[in-house]
Amino acid sequence: MTSYASKEHYLEDQITSFVNAKRVLKKYKNKIADEILPDFRGDRDKVLEGIDKGLKYLEVERKKVKSELNKLQNQLDVFK
């Protein structure tokens, strides 16, 4: 289990994690797009659409954490 010096450090690490998760998912999407041939049932398109939705979810969650971090940093700036 990782421990953090502060909530700020935790949030920064989470943002990095979301960015990394998106990078990995994009890599898999490109690999799938190259390896799975289009078909009449639309299997390939369904998989790619699912990945796109996952990428959008990760971006929404990253923005939430980034917003929380910004609020925390603004609060900390008041005390400086």
Side-chain angles (χ1 to χ4, degrees):
M1 169 116 188
T2 303
S3 59
Y4 296 93
S6 68
K7 185 170 183 174
E8 184 178 14
H9 289 115
Y10 167 76
L11 294 172
E12 289 170 344
D13 197 37
Q14 290 303 301
I15 291 168
T16 302
S17 178
F18 279 115
V19 170
N20 187 50
K22 285 178 57 180
R23 183 177 26 252
V24 169
L25 205 50
K26 285 178 184 178
K27 181 179 170 184
Y28 284 128
K29 179 184 175 186
N30 290 335
K31 187 174 181 172
I32 288 169
D34 290 342
E35 290 181 3
I36 299 176
L37 299 175
D39 58 88
F40 292 110
R41 296 187 325 178
D43 295 352
R44 177 181 182 261
D45 293 339
K46 290 176 179 86
V47 169
L48 295 176
E49 183 179 340
I51 292 172
D52 286 338
K53 287 182 180 183
L55 289 167
K56 287 178 186 175
Y57 167 80
L58 291 170
E59 181 61 16
V60 167
E61 294 301 309
R62 185 197 64 80
K63 285 181 179 180
K64 286 180 188 176
V65 174
K66 180 68 173 169
S67 176
E68 186 178 351
L69 176 61
N70 288 339
K71 288 178 188 175
L72 179 63
Q73 289 172 333
N74 288 337
Q75 289 172 354
L76 294 174
D77 287 342
V78 170
F79 295 113
K80 288 183 180 180

